[in-house]
Amino acid sequence: MGVTDPGTLTPGRQLVAYDFSMAVFAPLTFLESDGTLNYVQAESVESDDNTTWTITLKDGWTFHDGTPVTAQSYVDSWNTVAYGPNAFENSGQVANIVGYTDLNPAEGEPATEEMSGLTVVDDLTFTVELIGPDSQFPLQLSQAQTAMYPMPPSAFEDLDAYNSHPVGNGPFEMVDDYVENETIVVTAFEDYAGDAPTTDQISFVPYTDEVTAYTDVQAGNLDVASVPASRLPQASKDFGDAFYSFEAPGISYLGLPLWDERYQDIRVRQAISMAIDRETINEVIYGGANTPATAFTPAIEPGTPEGICGKFCEYDPEAAAALLDEAGGFEGTMEISFPGGGGLDEFYNAIANNLRQNLGVDASAVPSADWAEFSDNRTAGTIDGPFFSRWGALYPSQQATMRPFFVENGGCANCIPWYDPEVKAAIDTADAEATEDGEAYAAVQELILAEFPAPPLFFETYSYVVSDKVSELVTSPVGNPRLTHIELAG
């Protein structure tokens, strides 16, 4: 499988090693494509009030080094992820546990290394106290929330050494230590207590260029690769049935610099949205793989009120121009910033063309040198025009998209950025009341629509191509291939 070189492999730290993590580790729960939540490492996850949860583990599970997986394993791992000085990138995934703020004080060093909300009851049972009721907590324990994976006692002795050779509790174990830009090989773990994987070995091959990985699959030198944006229009023709496009909990927005007075009038924001021809961009640039957004969360997330965006997400250049005129027009240039090197040039050039032609503004698309430069500029607030903004949720719940976008410190700093106390309160209320249908979040979307902080653009799909060696690529609601269930030909 072609991948981006991960840099970090520890599950609480990794940012691009999801496929590796989901092979080497087993989650407490697993969300199936039909919405069913199954238990993997957990025997049960229960609560009477949605605030204090009791997690009971299945007996007989071990890590790859033979040590047992216990309640203490989880408590120690989650505390390690949460402890501020460790600077684990995915610590936000445990931020709603009571005591997280004690491990992340605003100033100085934390006075403790343990969250008070975690309590070991016995070898197979522990309790988790959250800062407020959250009906979605069992979903947060599922496959893509990698910070929730357990680590063995040896990990805490040397976290740097562990990062080079993570020992997990999953269906595959790592063969050799990680070396930057070299292939990572994992083999089936003989003593895995869950369902055995369908293949014996996976090699994760790092690529700096997704197009090269794509052509390597065509040549038969690679078996699975994600499809770069520039190849989406032709992937179906190139690969036929060996091209897969999975519905995923990803959504893209056009972020707006709300600190700039020129974007303060809601009519300006609505006009920008109505001037973007989502349908044509999707067909020409993405080969129809995505779906023009009609709501503020992806359609795959239960209860998403598709169509709530109404006319403001529909292409109407005349109405857009009239609305901008009503707002007093737009002064100066409009530079659209996006991370360079990721194949996004055509996408943002098309948006700039739409805004220039339909609104008469001096719009242009300006790439950064790389992701790091873009991220630094966005975080510092030095961007003075619209910008790249997207989020791929780690579990399909509206909560998993709304929190990162619309709650301060929710996970996607400066993605929009727009934080309204009413919206935060409404999300908290929905978290407490939400059922499987997700309808409790509809009231939140109404509040967002009333202010329209940024135009939603596309509900995303995640696309892959496979070689003749693969007869079926299986997915789950997080959009990634389910490598434990891959079907090989012959």
Side-chain angles (χ1 to χ4, degrees):
M1 182 175 187
V3 297
T4 299
D5 188 68
T8 55
L9 292 174
T10 301
R13 295 199 59 204
Q14 70 79 26
L15 295 176
V16 295
Y18 286 98
D19 296 301
F20 169 87
S21 295
M22 286 187 273
V24 172
F25 291 84
L28 287 161
T29 66
F30 192 97
L31 194 65
E32 303 287 350
S33 293
D34 64 1
T36 302
L37 187 70
N38 288 330
Y39 295 115
V40 183
Q41 173 77 85
E43 182 70 43
S44 62
V45 180
E46 300 173 321
S47 178
D48 294 328
D49 59 5
N50 286 342
T51 300
T52 299
W53 294 82
T54 299
I55 299 175
T56 303
L57 305 178
K58 293 176 180 176
D59 197 6
W61 284 60
T62 66
F63 290 104
H64 301 149
D65 62 4
T67 56
V69 182
T70 66
Q72 193 68 54
S73 307
Y74 280 91
V75 169
D76 289 345
S77 297
W78 293 4
N79 279 326
T80 298
V81 169
Y83 187 60
N86 287 337
F88 271 37
E89 287 83 344
N90 295 324
S91 70
Q93 293 175 25
V94 296
N96 282 336
I97 297 174
V98 170
Y100 177 84
T101 54
D102 295 333
L103 273 60
N104 295 272
E107 296 181 0
E109 293 291 308
T112 179
E113 297 182 1
E114 299 178 355
M115 290 184 282
S116 57
L118 297 177
T119 303
V120 173
V121 177
D122 56 41
D123 281 352
L124 297 177
T125 312
F126 66 105
T127 61
V128 185
E129 183 184 357
L130 305 179
I131 58 176
D134 188 351
S135 64
Q136 306 295 284
F137 182 67
L139 296 179
Q140 295 165 21
L141 306 175
S142 60
Q143 58 265 35
Q145 291 267 111
T146 60
M148 314 305 263
Y149 288 149
M151 296 185 288
S154 59
F156 314 116
E157 297 171 6
D158 189 336
L159 291 175
D160 289 336
Y162 183 77
N163 185 64
S164 68
H165 196 125
V167 173
N169 65 326
F172 292 89
E173 60 182 327
M174 199 170 172
V175 175
D176 298 312
D177 288 354
Y178 164 68
V179 177
E180 187 176 352
N181 292 317
E182 291 192 10
T183 297
I184 301 170
V185 178
V186 299
T187 56
F189 176 47
E190 290 185 2
D191 295 327
Y192 180 57
D195 296 334
T198 56
T199 187
D200 295 329
Q201 178 175 301
I202 304 170
S203 298
F204 296 100
V205 184
Y207 283 80
T208 56
D209 183 357
E210 288 186 350
V211 173
T212 303
Y214 180 92
T215 55
D216 271 357
V217 177
Q218 285 182 297
N221 299 323
L222 192 69
D223 297 310
V224 182
S226 59
V227 181
S230 61
R231 291 295 186 269
L232 277 171
Q234 68 191 66
S236 182
K237 180 180 178 181
D238 286 346
F239 283 89
D241 291 342
F243 166 62
Y244 293 84
S245 192
F246 299 131
E247 186 178 13
I251 186 170
S252 60
Y253 279 73
L254 183 64
L256 298 177
L258 301 180
W259 51 84
D260 187 323
E261 289 185 3
R262 296 177 298 170
Y263 298 88
Q264 287 299 307
D265 192 316
I266 188 174
R267 294 171 295 183
V268 172
R269 305 193 290 270
Q270 292 166 339
I272 289 171
S273 182
M274 296 166 70
I276 298 172
D277 187 354
R278 295 167 176 79
E279 293 282 356
T280 300
I281 290 173
N282 185 41
E283 290 301 323
V284 174
I285 296 176
Y286 292 115
N290 294 328
T291 301
T294 62
F296 298 96
T297 56
I300 195 176
E301 295 178 349
T304 288
E306 294 184 61
I308 191 173
C309 192
K311 65 181 181 181
F312 299 121
C313 285
E314 295 173 1
Y315 182 53
D316 190 340
E318 291 183 3
L323 193 59
L324 185 64
D325 286 342
E326 184 183 310
F330 188 89
E331 296 291 332
T333 60
M334 183 185 289
E335 289 191 348
I336 304 173
S337 300
F338 65 95
L344 296 170
D345 298 68
E346 286 187 66
F347 177 37
Y348 285 96
N349 282 329
I351 291 176
N353 288 338
N354 280 169
L355 299 181
R356 189 167 53 249
Q357 293 166 6
N358 298 327
L359 298 181
V361 299
D362 183 8
S364 60
V366 182
S368 65
D370 51 25
W371 169 260
E373 181 183 83
F374 170 79
S375 180
D376 288 345
N377 290 340
R378 188 177 66 178
T379 301
T382 55
I383 291 172
D384 59 5
F387 54 87
F388 165 94
S389 178
R390 73 163 300 275
W391 183 254
L394 301 181
Y395 52 97
S397 165
Q398 290 180 68
Q399 175 197 72
T401 296
M402 287 180 173
R403 276 187 179 175
F405 273 136
F406 303 115
V407 176
E408 196 162 9
N409 301 318
C412 193
N414 281 339
C415 263
I416 301 293
W418 175 75
Y419 308 116
D420 185 305
E422 275 191 76
V423 170
K424 170 64 165 62
I427 292 174
D428 289 344
T429 298
D431 289 346
E433 298 176 352
T435 54
E436 289 184 5
D437 61 19
E439 290 183 359
Y441 292 99
V444 185
Q445 300 234 13
E446 292 284 358
L447 290 173
I448 297 169
L449 179 65
E451 293 296 329
F452 206 80
L457 297 177
F458 293 104
F459 301 149
E460 298 179 346
T461 56
Y462 298 165
S463 298
Y464 298 86
V465 289
V466 300
S467 73
D468 293 341
K469 190 185 295 184
V470 178
S471 62
E472 184 69 26
L473 196 64
V474 183
T475 188
S476 72
V478 295
N480 288 58
R482 198 171 176 183
L483 297 177
T484 55
H485 289 57
I486 195 170
E487 295 180 19
L488 301 181

